[in-house]
């Protein structure tokens, strides 16, 4: 009896690996979720700051000679910015949806350049500067527009950061390796106890860990053109509606509907 | 004896699933709580910035020709903004409570539009701009009012974000599935040991996980018109009292009371 | 032997509930601590912004005709704000300690109003506006004073938020229920193994969970007039000393001492 | 056999306490680390804002009649601020190292006052105000210097907050008590299984928990004049080098070296 | 039987140490990851604020007599700042890549100084001040440029903080010690149960903990010139491309490619 008590059984070893794996997986999924939620917050900030920017433009140019058409061109450039950023993050080369929001020559020029969305922000700031130097808006107004643009730049960079920075590779490789190691060890100790029932039970336990890993992989890259992405197109579409409404349009675009339960 | 030690028992398997489930559920409830608390903070920020906005308006227009009535119309629009946002987040189409805070024509126009609260912010900024261009407030004052409005826009967008972004669906489906799998496996190993007592004990263990899941579901959507919501109406009511008091009113509205222990 | 291995023992069930409970309690105490620390940070911000406000006032009115007496009246109102907020958060109706920092008529008026501290901020901003319109301070100075007041408003609202928002009730009820369920199940399996020693051991294990719950309850409401509160009176007292020192006073108030090891 | 399965063994009880203790200790050490890292961030912010302040001063007074000597006196006061704050947080009454950075009369006056570092910030702001009223710097420059000083005030208050707020006492007492309870229970069940080897093994297990607690205690108070402190003197020394370099000095102070591997 | 139940087996002890170790390691890896992600965010902020700074410069000097060459010199200094900071954080003394972005005399002077990147920020602010005093940009523009530079200073200091502050030494030493203790205890209880298979199994379990520790060590110091570093050179290269594009360059540098899968 004494002898028995000094021994460690296979069950203890398996349990221990199981606990380590659970804790590592718990951290894995929670940091994947944090990336996803941070990406969502960044897109939220893009919407908020776009609304603020257009609201500022509308109000600052009130009772000036700035035409509604001029105002619209700047507001549409901001809408184009959001669509363009979404397409770029997802690596989709088709920017044609954006063309309708830009002047033809601007579009022709920009489409050949490197960082499309970054240049759109610059172009809008050019337009604001022109308003200032022509006396339509004050220094104070320009200050505020520049501040809002700086925040938009932060969100642009934040989205690129999440897109371009993979989750630390040694960590994701190691947890993946551990799941497979565990998958190989587990059935060994089970065959004799359970007989043929061992196979479905072992598969079941292993699947649990593999599914968790898979969910983490899905969520951690929220701009990968898959169904659990941040719905960047739908968000840009919602912003388009809001901005057009603020400009006074009465006929608004349709809201993006879910296709097969998926909103992009 | 040696043989025994190399085997894994059903208890080990069940325990392992139990531990994985506990860790997943721990993360589930903690991120549900984070959503709820973030929503609460956003509503706190809406209150703070509304108070700041009205305080700024009152003080900036001191010793000017701006009438108390004019001041009141802007302050009431801000109160309307908070009530309207609350109703919209909860998907309640009845905006009649807001009508009393707005001019009749403004109300008639807004009620048909898409993003009601967003337009209220725009309308108030129109009013501030008018104060500036008529010389009642300085550029500096306008700068500050615009900054406060930008923060209100951030909170508006933040609340919409939490409302419109469900917790990642694969994650919530998977934990739900795991609870049910566990519920099916558990009784198998218990019947013989416990006899008929197995049934209540198994139910009891399973219920624990199901209740945790249910609590997470309740808390993670804090604008769903249920009893564990953020009490948006009560918060808007408290703001109404504070703002009216700041305007100098001596007769203040009644504070919302709990009905059956629930404050909405 | 095989048969035995397919069975789940009472110990496994109890362990599993114990693990779930441990994880839930771990989250319980960590979110209680987060509330407490957030409350402490808010009171820290109140001190920082009060110091900044008074420093700005002193420096902005340097070499102007603003008298030390006038300066003092605004600084004392700020001290009164902190004392009043502390008393209000703790639900203590005795505001007499504040009276000495305010003009008699201001005190007589305010004491009957709803949100005492909020109005004190408004009154100080009135005083700042008067300095601006009389030409003692510049638009830039007013801008800065208004910014600091806005941050004070945020902290005021943040403290009220923590005070008025209980920890989600279903969660705290459920963990409490689980502790009691566990307390009832545990002794069942122990009596025969341990004999009479079972009673103290079971009580001991149960007490551990109950004490953890009790600590969470104590910490999660940091303005409840108990010994583990944020020491709001001591903090206001320390601020009073700092501000009087900044005003040039050489005789400073005594620092609050601990009574029976407790600082309030 | 059935009977056996309904019983809970001593090992189950001990394991359960061990798990609870592990989770509590995990939270204990993680919140101690958070305090330590927050303190480090605050000292980082003090360095950043000091650099920004001096950079602003240098650039704003470029091409004015402000002498290098005058500039130096303000920059040195800022260095003195950091040394003084470090000494005060550690409760070291020897401020003599600071004397060389201040005018003799300023030093003689300040050394008798309560909140030394807070007054240094005030004195520098006096100096900035003088620059403004003498026309050397613009209102815009003053605005920026005031903003930087406000951030320094926040960091000053943040460091004081961590210094003066102990980790919640019931929590730290309770975990300490639990470690000791565990230490007393553990050997009971071990003597017969292991014989005399029980003693070193039990001591070993208990030591693990005691060391974790000790590490938490060390880290949670990062201004306690011990070897795992934030190295406030070394940080102030590094800032001194940076600021002197920015002022154009070519002969810079030596960098603090580690004594016995410890940097203070 | 009773007797047996009161005893604690070696497996219980080993399990308990395993659980403690798992929780400590979970915290270890999660805080290592937090350091790494914070460092990545800081480099993201450096990119964002650099883009904002150059965008501001371009727009503020539009329609003035500031030449493209002059603009370029300031933009290149900003690029040099990022390369220099990267080299300095990694302790690489070769700053030659930076020389091409600076004037020869500026380069000759700076290369001998202490805090190279900090002085580059100062020099750019000199240039901005010159633009202001020569009337090319307004006070408002200068205010904004100064704000952006202050944020760059914060990021500079933040990166230095992570570089210079090791993870608390007692904590990392203790977890390392615990892994080794565990490695020594584990095989003792296994030899007899498993025979020679004990050796690979024990090695396998121990390796899991050692690899986790190793990953934490790799990730926690993200500027250590290893393959899991923040890719500071690649980020600076990407910024160079963006800035040159904003300046209107049509021929852009090549993007850094991965060598053997590693991007630095």
């Amino acid at each position: 009896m004494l002898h028995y008590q000094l021994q460690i059984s296979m069950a203890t070893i398996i349990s221990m690996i199981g606990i380590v794996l659970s804790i590592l997986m718990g951290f894995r999924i929670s940091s994947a979720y944090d990336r996803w939620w941070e990406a969502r917050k960044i897109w939220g900030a893009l919407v908020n700051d776009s609304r603020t920017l257009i609201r500022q433009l509308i109000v600052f140019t009130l009772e000036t000679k700035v035409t509604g058409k001029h105002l619209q061109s700047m507001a549409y450039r901001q809408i184009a910015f959001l669509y363009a950023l979404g397409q770029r993050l997802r690596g989709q080369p088709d920017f044609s949806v954006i063309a309708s929001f830009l002047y033809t020559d601007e579009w022709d020029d920009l489409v050949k350049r490197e960082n499309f969305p970054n240049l759109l922000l610059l172009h809008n700031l050019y337009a604001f500067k022109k308003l200032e130097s022509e006396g339509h808006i004050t220094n104070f107004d320009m200050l505020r527009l520049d501040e809002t643009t700086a925040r938009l730049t932060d969100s642009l960079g934040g989205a690129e950061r999440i897109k371009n920075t993979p989750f630390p590779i040694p960590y994701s490789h190691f947890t993946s390796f551990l799941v497979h190691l565990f998958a190989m060890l587990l059935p060994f100790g089970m065959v004799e106890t359970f007989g043929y029932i061992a196979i479905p039970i072992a598969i079941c336990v292993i699947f649990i860990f593999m599914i968790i890993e898979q969910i983490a992989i899905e969520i951690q890259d929220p701009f990968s053109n898959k169904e659990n992405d941040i719905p960047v197109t739908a968000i840009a579409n919602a912003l388009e509606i809001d901005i057009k409404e603020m400009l006074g349009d009465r006929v608004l675009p349709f809201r993006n509907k879910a296709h097969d339960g998926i909103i992009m």
Side-chain angles (χ1 to χ4, degrees), chain A:
Chain A
M1 206 72 200
L2 171 69
H3 192 83
Y4 159 69
Q5 298 240 350
L6 288 171
Q7 291 304 313
I8 296 166
S9 68
M10 190 66 183
T12 306
I13 301 284
I14 293 283
S15 288
M16 206 177 301
I17 300 183
I19 289 173
V20 175
L21 202 51
S22 300
I23 289 179
L24 289 180
M25 277 309 187
F27 167 62
R28 182 93 164 79
I29 203 124
S30 102
S31 48
Y33 174 76
D34 284 350
R35 281 173 68 102
W36 178 83
W37 192 235
E38 191 187 348
R40 184 63 189 80
K41 275 190 177 166
I42 287 171
W43 271 81
L46 285 167
V47 168
N48 299 344
D49 290 320
S50 297
R51 283 179 182 167
T52 293
L53 190 81
I54 303 311
R55 182 179 302 118
Q56 289 171 330
L57 270 181
I58 294 174
V59 171
F60 294 164
T61 59
L62 217 65
E63 300 178 31
T64 66
K65 287 178 184 165
V66 177
T67 61
K69 191 129 200 97
H70 191 175
L71 210 60
Q72 202 196 48
S73 73
M74 294 180 288
Y76 278 21
R77 195 177 285 122
Q78 185 60 27
I79 297 171
F81 163 74
L82 218 69
Y83 277 115
L85 181 56
Q87 297 289 87
R88 190 167 191 259
L89 288 172
R90 284 191 175 156
Q92 290 177 320
D94 177 19
F95 289 95
S96 59
V97 65
I98 300 142
S100 62
F101 292 107
L102 296 174
Y103 294 120
T104 318
D105 53 341
E106 187 177 8
W107 161 255
D108 287 343
D109 177 46
L110 281 176
V111 83
K112 296 172 222 141
R113 311 289 289 275
E114 276 279 325
N115 198 333
F116 199 105
N118 189 37
L119 292 172
L120 282 171
L121 287 183
L122 179 64
H123 286 204
N124 246 355
L125 213 56
Y126 280 149
F128 305 158
K129 179 68 189 178
K130 201 142 172 282
L131 291 179
E132 188 198 23
S133 59
E134 290 174 359
H136 296 304
I137 62 174
T138 67
N139 290 148
F140 288 87
D141 297 341
M142 183 65 195
L143 181 83
R144 288 294 294 150
L145 291 168
D146 184 52
E147 280 176 11
T148 310
T149 306
R151 283 204 306 275
L152 286 165
T153 307
D154 288 349
S155 300
L156 164 69
E160 289 174 351
R161 167 168 53 83
I162 289 179
K163 173 72 185 178
N164 295 329
T165 314
F167 192 77
I169 291 163
Y171 191 82
S172 48
H173 279 196
F174 177 64
T175 47
S176 180
F177 162 78
L178 214 58
V179 170
H180 287 89
L181 179 79
F182 190 68
M184 275 169 19
L185 280 179
L186 189 63
F188 268 87
M190 290 174 65
V191 177
E192 216 154 329
T193 324
F194 295 95
Y196 290 115
I197 323 174
I199 298 168
I201 294 183
I203 288 177
C204 174
V205 172
I206 293 161
F207 254 54
I208 291 172
F209 285 106
M210 285 190 164
I211 292 173
I212 298 175
E213 199 198 356
Q214 201 51 44
I215 293 175
I217 290 171
E218 287 269 311
I219 293 175
Q220 77 191 357
D221 291 318
F223 303 116
S224 55
N225 219 4
K226 291 197 189 135
E227 55 183 299
N228 291 306
D229 265 26
I230 302 297
V232 291
T233 313
I235 293 175
N237 169 255
L239 179 73
E240 185 187 340
I241 295 174
D242 277 354
I243 287 186
K244 288 187 171 171
E245 188 173 67
M246 286 162 77
L247 291 172
D249 290 13
R250 288 285 167 164
V251 183
L252 299 175
F254 290 110
R255 222 167 259 282
N256 277 13
K257 290 276 178 281
H259 296 284
D260 306 323
I262 299 164
I263 294 184
M264 296 303 276

